[in-house]
Amino acid sequence: MGRTLFDKIWDSHVIHTIEDGPQVVYIDRHFIHEVTSPQAFAGLKKRGIGVFNTSKTIATADHNVPTKDQHLPIKDALSKHQVDTLIKNCEEFDVELYGLGHPYQGIVHVIGPELGITQPGMTIVCGDSHTSTHGAFGNIAFGIGTSEVEQVLATQCVLQRKPKTMKIQVDGALRKGVVSKDIILYVISQISTSGGTGYFVEFCGSAIESLSMEARMTICNMSIEMGARGGMIAPDEITFNYIKGRQFAPQGSVWDEKLTFWKTLKTDEGAVFDKEYYFDAAAIEPMITYGTNPGMGIGISEKVPADSDTVNATLKKALNYMDLEGGRQLLGKKIDYVFIGSCTNSRIEDLRMVADLVKGKQKADHVNAMIIPGSKQVEKQAVDEGIDKVLAAAGFELRQPGCSACLGMNEDKVPTGMYCVSTSNRNFEGRQGPGARTMLASPLTAAAAALTGYVTDVREMLN
Amino acid sequence: MEKFQKLISTVVPLPLQDVDTDQIIPARFLKATTREGFGDNLFRDWRYDPEGKPNADFVLNQENVQGDILVAGKNFGCGSSREHAAWAIYDYGFKVVVSSFFADIFKNNALNNGLLPVQVSDAFLAKIFFIIQGNPSAQLEIDLENELITLQTTGESESFEINAYKRYCLQQGYDDIDFLISKKLEIQEFENATTI
Ligand code: SF4
């Protein structure tokens, strides 16, 4: 019987299996950031031990950094302390840090791939659930808690039970105005926020294969939002071309060796998954969420489910929080903020997509439109390509890299009661600030809303 | 980690599904660099209004509902991987969370901190909520050794599953990291033999 790509990579990293228990899994790359690492380093200190292999851990500051005036000291005392603690820990434990001011700094899931650190066939972890993003390169990448960060620092391993496998196949051509964010919002709306719990997902099918690496990352990024441990896509020529020549990509004969290995990374014909789903790309519309979890999404022309459809306390609470009425479309709903950023959609391709749409146009007066590049490199590229000017002319504010209003830890927040069309990945209550009302959508749909000031069907703007 | 054997306690019911870790502990409270003190902000935005006044409707603010066991709706702990969520629940004083489904990462985080996640059937969960509604002082018994959860008022019980290794860790107060450190030699050999 054939084996899945997941099984191949996982099994080749298992060092030990505890009977009726978890397995010791070796980790090839470990990313850390300021929020979920301080307690892990404190644990090492308490035990009097060091980092097992410093060459496998890379640090950056992203969650808690300002997105303006990054050259100045951080104003918020607690944030500053946390970022300073990361700097100190990295010095003390000899971990490479791409901190504020470094040309490689950025959101951890943006910089790993763009620096060529993220490669096929690896196991990758980070104390952040969206580590699943890296799976777009055909590796096993998943989020861990801080106790596990400490374990990886101390031993380069985690203790995990092997998840089940799920295949999600999306075939066919995407319709106009529909992008990878819509695919994943659609899939989550179909299988729910817990539909993937206990599984590791492989995305495949012609619609997935035709996507760029940036677009694939958006899909794997949000696999965690259906509860999955992670998502992966088998590597192909698009993957190899993306990696080639990047700062930490293999070079010379090592490249050739790796490439030969990477080309073997596929699910075998006839391999059996524990669960399989099939979707038709042509059935997907631009998507938007109406509620307070990422599974509460609808096609842009559809109606918000009515209370009576499901007499469900959770839906009622969500609609109440969002101040929306069931049974109505979201189209035409007035919005206040647009946030384009986060590890889901802050890559150069996302910024290009937005710039193409808004070029020569103006955002609506009442809308506050922020764009946060995912990294210093994305920011630089945007400037090199003149995207910064296009955005500024359209009234969009391009800020500096970080997680920003994706989680509202720094000062970038959406005020209470305001509606924000956001390209991030979570619309939980208060996620973008206490009382903030988030509608998740693609960069195209978000940009369209910024231009009109209302929830808009972007297809009407494309010719 | 503290040892866990058996617990009999009243419960705090939270009959909502998909309670995410952003609700358990909002991001703006994640700026600490230690593990302590997160309980003060557990369910912060449900527990307090924007001015910081306790919200009388929220269960943690109701005097007659108290206990070491939190019982919540399906898919508890989804969303962000922040271990701070498990720390906050434990720091507040809960020793057990009961639900009919837990998000993966939360479950791991809970177990790594001596907080026991007990997964029951939807029917048993509904029963617990029903009983508590009628009698807030009803107690649950959690017996880890026998993997059994019992409603004390009716005597009804259900078994729950936890793998033998994790059960042993909880009973002994033993952390995963202790186990991994004991495997360092094997890990070093593995690392020397692989190329990635
Ligand atoms: S951008 Fe948002 S989702 Fe991504 S790592 Fe940062 S906080 Fe997490």
Side-chain angles (χ1 to χ4, degrees):
Chain A
M1 197 174 71
R3 292 166 76 209
T4 65
L5 174 57
F6 175 79
D7 285 331
K8 291 181 194 180
I9 302 177
W10 181 277
D11 294 347
S12 68
H13 284 80
V14 171
I15 297 182
H16 180 88
T17 301
I18 299 174
E19 210 188 316
D20 187 24
Q23 296 179 303
V24 177
V25 181
Y26 184 82
I27 299 303
D28 295 311
R29 291 293 179 275
H30 182 206
F31 294 98
I32 60 170
H33 60 84
E34 74 278 23
V35 178
T36 58
S37 67
Q39 294 87 352
F41 281 112
L44 296 186
K45 283 183 207 165
K46 214 166 125 193
R47 287 171 193 273
I49 53 177
V51 173
F52 185 80
N53 183 340
T54 52
S55 72
K56 308 248 165 179
T57 295
I58 301 95
T60 191
D62 55 0
H63 280 64
N64 203 357
V65 300
T67 56
K68 261 188 170 169
D69 297 330
Q70 287 184 344
H71 61 290
L72 298 177
I74 300 175
K75 285 194 207 125
D76 180 292
L78 287 173
S79 300
K80 181 169 185 324
H81 178 66
Q82 207 172 44
V83 173
D84 288 347
T85 303
L86 180 71
I87 296 171
K88 259 195 242 142
N89 283 331
C90 288
E91 273 170 15
E92 191 178 334
F93 288 89
D94 194 23
V95 168
E96 184 84 53
L97 168 67
Y98 302 139
L100 276 187
H102 195 286
Y104 296 166
Q105 180 267 340
I107 303 174
V108 60
H109 312 309
V110 175
I111 68 168
E114 82 182 356
L115 291 170
I117 298 171
T118 299
Q119 294 168 18
M122 288 179 164
T123 47
I124 299 178
V125 295
C126 171
D128 187 283
S129 55
H130 293 101
T131 309
S132 57
T133 313
H134 305 260
F137 291 79
N139 55 48
I140 295 181
F142 54 90
I144 55 177
T146 298
S147 293
E148 292 167 303
V149 171
E150 185 181 337
Q151 292 161 24
V152 179
L153 289 172
T155 69
Q156 205 55 42
C157 288
V158 288
L159 258 185
Q160 291 261 337
R161 285 176 83 90
K162 188 176 179 179
K164 291 179 278 187
T165 55
M166 177 185 284
K167 172 164 103 167
I168 296 183
Q169 183 168 335
V170 188
D171 285 308
L174 289 172
R175 290 192 292 175
K176 185 180 75 174
V178 178
V179 293
S180 73
K181 180 67 166 284
D182 300 305
I183 300 182
I184 190 66
L185 283 173
Y186 175 79
V187 169
I188 303 167
S189 77
Q190 298 297 306
I191 75 173
S192 93
T193 52
S194 59
T197 305
Y199 293 89
F200 209 99
V201 179
E202 181 176 344
F203 294 95
C204 59
S206 61
I208 304 289
E209 284 157 22
S210 68
L211 297 174
S212 68
M213 284 319 295
E214 284 88 348
R216 292 180 190 185
M217 283 189 253
T218 303
I219 300 225
C220 290
N221 172 278
M222 286 195 73
S223 51
I224 176 77
E225 305 307 336
M226 50 194 186
R229 284 302 270 128
M232 68 197 316
I233 295 170
D236 58 12
E237 287 304 319
I238 295 176
T239 321
F240 310 144
N241 288 335
Y242 179 97
I243 300 172
K244 195 164 188 175
R246 291 185 183 264
Q247 285 87 337
F248 296 97
Q251 288 175 2
S253 62
V254 186
W255 168 265
D256 298 333
E257 257 171 59
K258 292 273 182 198
L259 192 63
T260 312
F261 165 58
W262 293 347
K263 286 184 173 167
T264 66
L265 294 170
K266 296 186 190 24
T267 289
D268 297 331
E269 196 94 20
V272 179
F273 289 82
D274 295 303
K275 204 160 199 171
E276 299 184 3
Y277 286 100
Y278 295 85
F279 297 105
D280 174 12
I284 305 174
E285 278 198 281
M287 296 287 295
I288 191 158
T289 65
Y290 58 85
T292 53
N293 73 50
M296 295 177 165
I298 49 176
I300 195 92
S301 68
E302 287 175 331
K303 291 181 179 140
V304 175
D307 285 0
S308 55
D309 290 356
T310 6
V311 190
N312 171 334
T314 307
L315 176 65
K316 269 216 183 95
K317 190 169 188 305
L319 292 184
N320 189 29
Y321 180 86
M322 293 296 289
D323 195 21
L324 291 173
E325 243 178 84
R328 292 204 180 172
Q329 281 184 318
L330 283 178
L331 273 181
K333 174 86 194 164
K334 194 171 174 195
I335 57 117
D336 312 289
Y337 277 71
V338 165
F339 172 71
I340 293 169
S342 89
C343 55
T344 316
N345 285 118
S346 65
R347 298 181 178 80
I348 191 66
E349 188 180 279
D350 301 309
L351 268 53
R352 283 188 197 129
M353 200 190 296
V354 171
D356 280 350
L357 188 80
V358 306
K359 191 170 188 163
K361 302 192 181 87
Q362 265 302 312
K363 72 160 180 78
D365 282 342
H366 70 271
V367 172
N368 181 324
M370 287 191 249
I371 304 198
I372 318 284
S375 68
K376 288 305 273 184
Q377 298 212 80
V378 171
E379 183 186 35
K380 180 172 180 300
Q381 213 172 340
V383 172
D384 290 349
E385 294 181 17
I387 288 175
D388 58 330
K389 299 212 173 60
V390 173
L391 296 175
F396 288 66
E397 188 189 6
L398 183 65
R399 303 178 69 140
Q400 291 171 305
C403 293
S404 177
C406 170
L407 88 166
M409 236 186 126
N410 70 356
E411 51 285 340
D412 306 346
K413 290 184 179 66
V414 176
T416 304
M418 298 272 171
Y419 289 94
C420 177
V421 180
S422 175
T423 68
S424 56
N425 42 52
R426 287 185 175 143
N427 50 353
F428 299 149
E429 285 185 28
R431 172 81 180 181
Q432 298 197 284
R437 294 172 174 147
T438 303
M439 297 169 167
L440 301 176
S442 75
L444 274 182
T445 297
L451 292 176
T452 63
Y454 299 88
V455 173
T456 299
D457 188 340
V458 67
R459 291 172 295 189
E460 289 163 10
M461 292 184 163
L462 303 167
N463 34 33
Chain B
M1 203 165 85
E2 269 180 57
K3 295 181 183 181
F4 187 105
Q5 303 288 348
K6 192 183 262 195
L7 176 72
I8 299 175
S9 169
T10 49
V11 316
V12 175
L14 188 66
L16 287 172
Q17 291 181 13
D18 304 319
V19 173
D20 60 78
T21 52
D22 270 85
Q23 305 319 313
I24 299 173
I25 182 88
R28 60 188 192 281
F29 300 111
L30 304 186
K31 297 184 184 183
T33 52
T34 61
R35 290 174 182 238
E36 292 77 34
F38 288 102
D40 292 346
N41 292 310
L42 175 66
F43 295 119
R44 173 77 198 200
D45 294 336
W46 287 349
R47 203 163 138 200
Y48 300 101
D49 71 9
E51 279 79 52
K53 280 203 242 59
N55 175 358
D57 293 340
F58 188 63
V59 67
L60 291 191
N61 296 323
Q62 292 163 0
E63 298 247 315
N64 61 338
V65 229
Q66 306 228 331
D68 298 342
I69 303 175
L70 177 67
V71 183
K74 197 172 176 168
N75 197 25
F76 186 81
C78 60
S80 158
S81 58
R82 60 189 70 163
E83 191 163 318
H84 312 65
W87 298 338
I89 295 172
Y90 197 76
D91 188 56
Y92 182 85
F94 292 114
K95 301 277 180 278
V96 173
V97 187
V98 178
S99 175
S100 57
F101 202 79
F102 290 95
D104 281 334
I105 304 182
F106 176 81
K107 200 172 183 176
N108 264 342
N109 287 341
L111 286 166
N112 278 331
N113 287 280
L115 176 69
L116 176 63
V118 172
Q119 187 163 325
V120 297
S121 65
D122 285 322
F124 198 77
L125 186 71
K127 203 171 285 166
I128 301 175
F129 283 136
F130 180 74
I131 300 272
I132 300 303
Q133 206 177 20
N135 174 12
S137 57
Q139 293 193 316
L140 275 179
E141 177 182 320
I142 311 290
D143 177 351
L144 180 58
E145 176 66 33
N146 295 304
E147 303 183 2
L148 209 64
I149 170 171
T150 308
L151 259 165
Q152 297 259 310
T153 42
T154 64
E156 285 164 281
S157 63
E158 191 172 273
S159 58
F160 61 88
E161 259 183 53
I162 176 158
N163 70 68
Y165 166 79
K166 277 293 172 191
R167 192 182 65 214
Y168 175 80
C169 287
L170 284 166
Q171 288 171 328
Q172 304 300 320
Y174 189 67
D175 289 323
D176 280 353
I177 192 163
D178 300 324
F179 180 82
L180 285 171
I181 288 173
S182 76
K183 288 273 172 268
K184 263 193 178 174
L185 266 181
E186 271 178 71
I187 297 170
Q188 192 62 59
E189 276 168 26
F190 180 91
E191 186 174 280
N192 295 344
T194 50
T195 51
I196 285 187

